[in-house]
Amino acid sequence: MSDFKVFEYMAKHKYEQVVHFYDEATGLRGITVIHDTTLGPALGGTRVWNYESEEAALIDCLRLSRGMTYKAAAAGLNLGGGKTVVIGNHPEPAQAEAFFRALGRYIQGMGGRYITAEDVNTSTSDMSFVHMETDYVVGLEGKSGNPSPFTAKGAFYGIKAALKYKFNDSEISKYSYAVQGVGATGTFLIEYLLEEGAKKIYACDINEKHIAALKKKHPEVIFVKPEEIYSVAVDVFAPCALGGILNSQTIPQLKATIVAGIANNVLLDEDVHGPMLREKGILYAPDFVINAGGLINVYNELIGYKKENVEVDLKRIYDRLLDIFKIADTENISTQEAAKVFAKKRIEQIKNIHSNYIKK
Ligand code: NAD
């Protein structure tokens, strides 16, 4: 028997709502968690995963939804944090419509408190089925489109901010880079760096096809073995693959003085590895701030999509990171912690402006 106490956990981290749903006809079993809606409706993707237990699914959903609250708050968006996890495998194509329409009906039932989108193992086609039952879904085909180039563009501005803070000069061409992972986002990031004149870019991947595709387009990129990427002598290390890659084994190997990339949950244990980076004098651009470009893009779908507005919002990542780096130095805390202070401050401020009575 597990001793996980959901209400204690909810009280500790100030969650608003946990919804379990089960659809007998399709076998859909899932959980939606709404963490905090001070700033607006909770937004977060739907992840389909074959969890080892129901408790593992619940804990993942709780953790991910809280991350979305901070991500949206730090990005200056009027969104709260939420997430859906669906337990099991993605349905076969013939079952997908009923499965995702069933999901759409549960989301509709939440009355707009939660808005979903794609995440791991869900596609725009799945979301088009969700959309048949609810308008509370974004990231649809023909709307804001593939988030990867926007995420990468935001990270590009984030790298410039880190260069400015560390070296007082954000000229991309003057520095060298190591990019871990050349998938959907890593490839765009490399292209933005090359366009700005970056001369030395190292990269790695575990997928030979992705390596070959990048080499064909940009033969100037130098590939190293995946385990060598940490110790390449560069200015900026950009993780664009997996989470948890900065830990007590990899941090001592780093030669870069800046870590600024796209992957989520880069620090294996943020309470340990955030301060460890700080002690080593490595400037870490907090993941949920630097990789918010995709969320910023999809948010614009809700307020009337205009690409030029998205570009303005993406550029704001630059100033936001400078503010966060300053908080970290002033308060002598890790940049990851400073990013949370920054996000929580905005939530508190907006909560307070809601305290006066206005007649409906
Ligand atoms: P992707 O799957 O397209 O690319 C990831 C790449 O990393 C793949 O080419 C994969 O082969 C490679 N890889 C996996 N393990 C590796 C290893 N050990 N060493 C080297 N390479 C490895 O994914 P993506 O969309 O580019 O996302 C990358 C990361 O960024 C993920 O952590 C994701 O959660 C995060 N992220 C993505 C977006 C987005 O808009 N796509 C937004 C925010 C955060």
Side-chain angles (χ1 to χ4, degrees):
M1 266 302 266
S2 154
D3 58 359
F4 180 68
K5 297 200 168 53
V6 68
F7 287 109
E8 260 177 38
Y9 191 88
M10 286 177 76
K12 185 172 171 203
H13 297 289
K14 301 192 168 125
Y15 286 88
E16 292 179 13
Q17 194 174 3
V18 175
V19 180
H20 284 74
F21 48 84
Y22 169 62
D23 179 62
E24 195 183 2
T26 58
L28 171 76
R29 288 185 302 149
I31 304 166
T32 296
V33 175
I34 295 175
H35 174 242
D36 185 295
T37 57
T38 306
L39 298 174
L43 191 145
T46 294
R47 177 168 296 196
V48 175
W49 197 255
N50 207 348
Y51 288 96
E52 62 188 25
S53 67
E54 290 173 16
E55 183 183 294
L58 174 61
I59 292 173
D60 201 32
C61 200
L62 286 161
R63 189 179 59 83
L64 292 166
S65 65
R66 191 163 87 243
M68 290 306 295
T69 298
Y70 298 139
K71 189 168 186 160
L77 308 176
N78 290 322
L79 291 175
K83 198 83 186 175
T84 293
V85 302
V86 168
I87 302 170
N89 296 317
H90 189 279
E92 293 300 319
Q95 275 76 49
E97 179 183 350
F99 191 87
F100 286 104
R101 287 183 73 161
L103 173 64
R105 293 182 70 79
Y106 287 108
I107 290 169
Q108 179 66 17
M110 289 178 234
R113 275 175 52 70
Y114 168 72
I115 300 169
T116 201
E118 295 91 359
D119 194 64
V120 177
N121 284 330
T122 51
S123 64
T124 47
S125 146
D126 299 332
M127 291 306 127
S128 67
F129 294 134
V130 170
H131 190 216
M132 289 176 186
E133 302 294 334
T134 183
D135 282 334
Y136 302 123
V137 50
V138 286
L140 296 166
E141 201 73 72
K143 293 222 173 155
S144 65
N146 173 12
S148 306
F150 299 95
T151 305
K153 190 50 125 12
F156 170 78
Y157 293 127
I159 289 174
K160 281 178 86 83
L163 290 170
K164 176 77 184 163
Y165 199 77
K166 190 84 190 166
F167 303 121
N168 199 25
D169 184 347
S170 61
E171 179 63 50
I172 290 285
S173 64
K174 291 186 179 161
Y175 304 96
S176 52
Y177 307 86
V179 179
Q180 181 182 46
V182 294
T185 56
T187 300
F188 280 111
L189 180 62
I190 287 174
E191 292 186 337
Y192 295 138
L193 294 171
L194 288 171
E195 273 168 28
E196 284 285 308
K199 288 177 195 70
K200 209 152 216 185
I201 302 182
Y202 295 86
C204 76
D205 205 292
I206 51 166
N207 183 323
E208 287 302 327
K209 278 193 195 145
H210 290 183
I211 296 176
L214 199 102
K215 274 187 175 168
K216 199 168 164 206
K217 274 206 277 182
H218 302 292
E220 64 272 45
V221 173
I222 308 157
F223 273 88
V224 298
K225 292 194 184 116
E227 61 278 15
E228 288 168 3
I229 198 77
Y230 303 103
S231 55
V232 180
V234 288
D235 300 301
V236 181
F237 172 61
C240 301
L242 306 171
I245 52 107
L246 288 187
N247 51 51
S248 304
Q249 279 72 51
T250 54
I251 291 174
Q253 297 176 42
L254 288 175
K255 301 239 170 43
T257 47
I258 290 173
V259 174
I262 293 169
N264 278 314
N265 306 317
V266 169
L267 305 174
L268 183 64
D269 180 341
E270 48 184 55
D271 295 334
V272 176
H273 302 116
M276 193 184 270
L277 287 169
R278 185 170 173 77
E279 275 155 32
K280 272 188 66 108
I282 298 173
L283 182 63
Y284 174 68
D287 45 14
F288 67 86
V289 180
I290 191 170
N291 74 14
L295 181 64
I296 290 169
N297 184 50
V298 104
Y299 172 72
N300 274 267
E301 213 176 282
L302 292 171
I303 56 171
Y305 194 79
K306 285 208 185 87
K307 208 172 169 194
E308 57 273 23
N309 293 348
V310 175
E311 182 63 22
V312 171
D313 282 352
L314 292 178
K315 278 197 181 135
R316 294 201 171 109
I317 290 178
Y318 181 93
D319 288 327
R320 195 169 292 136
L321 277 171
L322 291 181
D323 287 346
I324 289 168
F325 295 149
K326 265 188 224 133
I327 295 173
D329 280 342
T330 312
E331 300 196 13
N332 195 18
I333 53 178
S334 74
T335 51
Q336 186 79 0
E337 201 47 44
K340 283 198 201 152
V341 169
F342 180 88
K344 284 180 186 170
K345 189 171 165 199
R346 178 162 176 253
I347 295 171
E348 274 315 302
Q349 283 174 336
I350 304 304
K351 192 179 273 173
N352 291 339
I353 68 146
H354 288 165
S355 62
N356 59 340
Y357 172 76
I358 297 172
K359 193 173 182 300
K360 278 187 188 150

